[in-house]
Amino acid sequence: MDRLFTTLAQCISDEDPVALATVIERADAVEGQNPSLPELGATLLVSHAHGVQGSLGHDKLDAVVAGDVSAVLSSGRSVARHYGSAGESRLNDVTVFIDVFAPPPRMIIFGAVDFSAALVRVAKILGYHVTVCDAREVFATKRRFPEADEVVVAWPNAYLETVADRLGALDAVCVLTHDHKFDIPAIVAALSTKVGYLGAMGSRKTHAERVKRLIEAGADPSRLSEIMAPIGLAIGARTPEETAVAICAEIIARRAHAEVRSLRDDTGPIHRVAS
Amino acid sequence: MKDLIEDIERWQAAGQRVALARVVAVVGSGPRDPGAAMAINEASEVVGSVSGGCVEGAVVTEALGVIESGEPRLCTFGYSDDEAFAVGLTCGGTIRIFIEPLN
């Protein structure tokens, strides 16, 4: 592990997907030493850029574990697995912990508005790589969004085309522009990606109008129910910061399939007056 | 673990011995998923966490033992069917933590 730690740190900082497999238990722990079993703590590192490094003590075990890594990486969940000392899948000579380090999920926020600034802050707490994109260069400045990883001046659809193939189930697109001129191309483009969460800000009335325009713009009507609009959970959020929490909570809840009330599935005004 | 790297590298650069503790399995209700990590140096400084706070103290004691012996160990905290361990989780689950030296 010691030797591989530097490579691991490098992979994480380069956002190179990497897994660290470590022997954490041997079947002979109780009955006494079996010298043919891999050493406790033996480590194998597997990354896209650095290939396979280190060893668990047996070539065949290394090959089997390295082969299992890609599935574990795409699940994003670290897991302990049992193997025979030569990698046999039905035996339980050793337990190997496969610890995966995927690059951070991405959040793309369209619209360089105050709500976006608050959303950037909450998304950073949750570990997102955050991009703010707006076609208006006076608003889309790094100075206004110091915590964003990227601030891009571009039309939403043009920007989304450049990152479309990198978006997956854990990523999020939040459309906060509040302006059909930008909303429509952003949502049409986002619907053609595999992004896991797509939310759009605006009242129910705004969204009803938006739905008409989306269909006119060629969006697939059967996919429109995937848009979380009005965006966020129904927690009575009012300020940009509270709204940011409502949006991020909705993203977490959707990913976890948790049963909570989204504004989309609610009725009545989205801004309630406290009584 | 990602958040610990900077501190671990700083400790190592200062010549301190370091142990890494990672949650490798959770049975039942556990506060943190496998992969949650904590690093401990020989001066008992700690970064990261492996639970909601209930077993951290015991993990530090084990980690100092790992730094001293240089030998990794697998520790179990919580309750299982047949035996009660000294340190429990308030949530009632069992977690297994692998602690190894990073020299």
Side-chain angles (χ1 to χ4, degrees), chain A residues 67-88:
Chain A
D68 285 353
V69 158
S70 64
V72 182
L73 261 176
S74 58
S75 81
R77 300 181 76 86
S78 300
V79 66
R81 292 204 170 157
H82 305 293
Y83 298 94
S85 58
E88 299 92 329

Side-chain angles (χ1 to χ4, degrees), chain A residues 1-2 5-6 8-9 12 20 22-25 40-41 43 77-80 97 99 101-104, chain B residues 1-2 4-5 8-9 12 20 22-25 33-36 72-74 96 98 100-103:
Chain A
M1 170 68 167
D2 317 344
F5 189 75
T6 315
L8 176 73
I12 290 173
L20 197 65
T22 308
V23 174
I24 58 165
E25 194 172 24
L40 204 61
T43 303
R77 300 181 76 86
S78 300
V79 66
F97 180 57
D99 204 358
F101 304 88
Chain B
M1 169 94 114
K2 285 182 183 183
L4 312 185
I5 287 177
I8 293 172
E9 287 178 336
Q12 289 180 327
L20 176 68
R22 286 181 289 167
V23 175
V24 294
D33 286 333
R73 61 179 82 153
L74 182 63
R96 306 190 83 192
F98 186 70
E100 64 192 311
L102 290 180
N103 294 327

Side-chain angles (χ1 to χ4, degrees), chain A:
Chain A
M1 170 68 167
D2 317 344
R3 209 160 47 76
L4 298 176
F5 189 75
T6 315
T7 314
L8 176 73
Q10 186 67 45
C11 292
I12 290 173
S13 112
D14 294 346
E15 297 191 359
D16 172 24
V18 60
L20 197 65
T22 308
V23 174
I24 58 165
E25 194 172 24
R26 296 159 44 128
D28 63 353
V30 184
E31 304 103 50
Q33 292 285 303
N34 173 350
S36 71
L37 290 185
E39 242 179 85
L40 204 61
T43 303
L44 185 76
L45 177 146
V46 184
S47 96
H48 284 212
H50 294 84
V52 180
Q53 295 188 10
S55 175
L56 300 176
H58 194 296
D59 290 351
K60 285 187 180 155
L61 178 61
D62 289 349
V64 170
V65 172
D68 285 353
V69 158
S70 64
V72 182
L73 261 176
S74 58
S75 81
R77 300 181 76 86
S78 300
V79 66
R81 292 204 170 157
H82 305 293
Y83 298 94
S85 58
E88 299 92 329
S89 59
R90 294 207 186 97
L91 297 181
N92 186 5
D93 292 333
V94 289
T95 307
V96 176
F97 180 57
I98 303 176
D99 204 358
V100 294
F101 304 88
R106 299 174 74 96
M107 181 186 287
I108 299 169
I109 305 171
F110 291 113
V113 297
D114 279 354
F115 284 93
S116 309
L119 184 53
V120 170
R121 292 197 294 275
V122 178
K124 287 311 294 177
I125 289 173
L126 295 177
Y128 282 91
H129 175 281
V130 185
T131 301
V132 176
C133 174
D134 196 305
R136 303 164 300 175
E137 59 185 307
V138 265
F139 296 118
T141 61
K142 187 75 188 165
R143 195 183 161 79
R144 294 188 66 214
F145 303 97
E147 285 155 89
D149 296 281
E150 280 181 304
V151 179
V152 178
V153 181
W155 275 82
N157 48 325
Y159 173 69
L160 268 181
E161 268 172 37
T162 66
V163 293
D165 57 344
R166 280 187 272 159
L167 295 179
L170 300 179
D171 301 314
V173 169
C174 300
V175 180
L176 309 188
T177 46
H178 242 285
D179 181 341
H180 294 311
K181 187 161 80 246
F182 300 110
D183 278 15
I184 304 298
I187 294 172
V188 170
L191 281 172
S192 70
T193 69
K194 293 197 170 111
V195 76
Y197 175 91
L198 171 59
M201 184 170 266
S203 67
R204 295 180 202 289
K205 211 166 119 192
T206 304
H207 189 60
E209 173 63 23
R210 184 191 282 142
V211 163
K212 274 191 229 156
R213 292 179 187 233
L214 281 167
I215 292 169
E216 282 165 18
D220 178 353
S222 70
R223 307 262 325 262
L224 297 180
S225 63
E226 292 170 29
I227 307 167
M228 299 308 291
I231 195 169
L233 292 186
I235 57 171
R238 291 195 65 87
T239 64
E241 292 73 18
E242 289 170 359
T243 304
V245 169
I247 294 169
C248 287
E250 181 169 75
I251 294 172
I252 296 166
R254 302 276 304 166
R255 197 181 55 210
H257 304 290
E259 286 186 27
V260 288
R261 202 157 48 104
S262 280
L263 281 171
R264 184 191 66 170
D265 307 321
D266 202 10
T267 54
I270 56 178
H271 299 301
R272 290 166 193 273
V273 181
S275 54

